[in-house]
């Protein structure tokens, strides 16, 4: 059991969390700014969070967190596929769940809470996807 936990929560996990803090600050500002200030839709606002955050995430996680030396389009495509799947799963699950949970609240409140919930779900799925799929060749498991 200890070995299984160690496979997920090691130095790379801590680095991923640091990169995540930067992405969260940048992406959240974009998402909530677009939704609440520019009055863009739930889907557009949350998607722009991940477009902007993904560019930052790719470079920081590739070189800092997972130290992947792989070159070429295959790794970029795996990364993009991971982001897309995590986004669709997280935000598709969050919106109806929060709508059910807060059925008496305003649409604006429900969407803001759903975006926060989607961020949490996305983060967990994204770590697993980047570690074991997108950057799976990074320094043979060392960092």
């Amino acid at each position: 059991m200890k070995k299984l936990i160690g496979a997920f929560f090691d130095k790379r996990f801590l680095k991923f969390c640091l990169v995540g803090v930067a992405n969260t600050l940048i992406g959240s500002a974009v998402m909530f700014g677009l939704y609440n200030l520019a009055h863009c839709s739930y889907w557009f606002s949350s998607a722009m969070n991940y477009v902007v955050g993904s560019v930052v995430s790719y470079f920081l996680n590739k070189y800092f967190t997972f130290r992947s030396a792989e070159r070429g389009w295959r790794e970029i495509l795996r990364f993009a596929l991971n982001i897309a799947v995590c986004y669709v799963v997280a935000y598709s699950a969050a919106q109806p769940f929060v709508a059910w949970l807060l059925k008496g609240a305003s649409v604006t409140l429900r969407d803001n809470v759903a975006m926060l919930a989607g961020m949490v779900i996305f983060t967990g799925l994204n770590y697993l996807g980047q570690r074991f799929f997108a950057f799976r060749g990074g320094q043979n498991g060392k960092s």
Side-chain angles (χ1 to χ4, degrees):
M1 183 66 161
K2 188 176 181 180
K3 189 174 184 177
L4 179 64
I5 291 171
F8 291 97
F9 302 107
D10 59 3
K11 194 187 274 188
R12 285 175 291 186
F13 180 74
L14 294 174
K15 288 180 176 183
F16 184 84
C17 289
L18 289 173
V19 169
V21 168
N23 286 343
T24 298
L25 292 173
I26 294 166
S28 295
V30 168
M31 179 171 66
F32 289 113
L34 286 172
Y35 186 80
N36 293 299
L37 302 175
H39 305 290
C40 296
S41 73
Y42 170 87
W43 287 106
F44 181 78
S45 299
S46 62
M48 288 301 97
N49 174 5
Y50 291 99
V51 168
V52 171
S54 292
V55 172
V56 174
S57 176
Y58 176 78
F59 289 103
L60 289 177
N61 282 317
K62 176 180 177 61
Y63 295 110
F64 173 68
T65 305
F66 300 110
R67 297 183 182 207
S68 176
E70 185 176 333
R71 300 284 185 249
W73 288 100
R74 294 175 85 189
E75 184 178 73
I76 294 169
L77 290 174
R78 285 194 312 266
F79 178 85
L81 178 61
N82 176 63
I83 294 293
V85 169
C86 292
Y87 170 75
V88 170
V89 170
Y91 283 83
S92 293
Q95 192 177 37
F97 176 72
V98 170
W100 169 80
L101 189 66
L102 302 176
K103 57 185 158 209
S106 71
V107 171
T108 301
L109 177 63
R110 288 192 315 242
D111 282 352
N112 277 284
V113 172
M115 287 188 284
L116 285 170
M119 289 170 63
V120 171
I121 297 166
F122 177 89
T123 300
L125 295 174
N126 186 37
Y127 173 68
L128 295 173
Q130 284 194 38
R131 178 155 183 180
F132 298 109
F133 177 67
F135 298 120
R136 63 181 178 229
Q139 280 202 356
N140 297 324
K142 299 175 189 163
S143 59

